């Protein structure tokens, strides 16, 4: 069922690889820090990467973000996703970006790891605790650090190496959580 669902989702949303997912975001200048992602994705080496927004207000945010970052026009998608679709998007995304400056806990980080996705998180309170040593971090004020991580993941060889190193850490992190 998953391959068929994934194929239908790709067609419905207009997804192609590579893409990154920005879940449940807020407006520019907010603590959710989408500004950092928009800045990073304007890097010339990332021009093939789509940005998918999901969650409440995703369509409104997509319009706002395209106005702020015209270089992303045609690469920015909004999608309403069911839980099974979201789990597949987490798994097939190049990475799921969680750039918040602060979070209470960072449950999406755990959800991404449980779905076999790669979370890239801001080095901030809440996210750091949720991801522990299993989620690569970047400075929430340094788009260049996010660019470097995304470039690493774009290369097939380094992505395989990276995921192989993260997998045991993710397993260990998930085992320490109570269902």
């Amino acid at each position: 069922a998953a391959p068929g669902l994934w194929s239908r989702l790709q067609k419905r949303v207009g997804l192609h690889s590579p893409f990154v997912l920005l879940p449940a975001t807020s407006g520019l200048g907010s603590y959710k820090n989408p500004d950092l992602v928009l800045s990073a994705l304007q890097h010339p080496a990332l021009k093939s990467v789509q940005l998918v927004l999901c969650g409440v207000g995703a369509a409104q945010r997509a319009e706002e973000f395209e106005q702020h970052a015209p270089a992303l026009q045609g690469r920015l998608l909004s999608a309403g996703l069911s839980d099974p679709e979201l789990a597949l998007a987490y798994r097939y995304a190049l990475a799921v970006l969680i750039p918040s400056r602060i979070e209470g806990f960072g449950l999406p980080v755990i959800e991404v790891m449980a779905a076999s996705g790669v979370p890239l998180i801001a080095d901030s309170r809440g996210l750091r605790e949720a991801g522990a040593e299993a989620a690569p971090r970047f400075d929430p004020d340094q788009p260049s650090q996010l660019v470097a991580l995304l470039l690493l993941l774009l290369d097939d060889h380094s992505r395989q190496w990276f995921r192989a190193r993260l997998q045991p850490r993710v397993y260990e992190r998930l085992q320490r959580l109570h269902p």
Side-chain angles (χ1 to χ4, degrees):
L5 179 60
W6 176 241
S7 178
R8 288 189 303 275
L9 177 62
Q10 286 179 292
K11 288 176 186 165
R12 179 174 64 83
V13 176
L15 276 176
H16 65 75
S17 290
F19 73 94
V20 293
L21 187 70
L22 183 60
T25 195
S26 292
L28 297 168
S30 71
Y31 77 96
K32 291 284 192 181
N33 199 18
D35 314 61
L36 177 119
V37 172
L38 299 179
S39 179
L41 288 178
Q42 292 181 72
H43 189 281
L46 298 176
K47 65 183 176 188
S48 67
V49 179
Q50 282 184 314
L51 173 60
V52 179
L53 307 176
C54 64
V56 177
Q60 176 187 349
R61 294 294 171 227
E63 289 178 24
E64 176 186 344
F65 294 172
E66 275 191 347
Q67 289 176 4
H68 180 75
L72 297 180
Q73 220 162 29
R75 296 174 33 210
L76 212 152
L77 305 171
S78 63
L81 303 174
S82 67
D83 288 344
E85 289 172 334
L86 184 59
L88 284 173
Y90 284 162
R91 180 178 304 145
Y92 288 107
L94 182 65
V96 178
L97 310 178
I98 307 173
S100 302
R101 294 181 182 285
I102 189 168
E103 285 290 342
F105 175 65
L107 187 58
V109 177
I110 302 299
E111 292 173 342
V112 171
M113 290 189 293
S116 299
V118 176
L120 298 181
I121 64 173
D123 190 7
S124 59
R125 193 180 78 216
L127 296 177
R128 190 172 34 247
E129 289 78 12
E133 65 287 339
R137 297 189 291 263
F138 54 86
D139 185 310
D141 295 314
Q142 296 295 323
S144 61
Q145 289 182 10
L146 178 56
V147 168
L149 286 168
L150 291 172
L151 290 174
L152 178 73
L153 291 172
L154 274 173
D155 177 75
D156 288 337
H157 181 72
S158 62
R159 181 177 57 251
Q160 289 174 4
W161 180 89
F162 193 73
R163 288 185 75 116
R165 297 310 174 276
L166 281 180
Q167 189 175 19
R169 293 176 183 194
V170 166
Y171 178 79
E172 183 179 315
R173 175 65 183 126
L174 292 174
Q175 292 303 307
R176 291 192 317 248
L177 297 171
H178 187 281

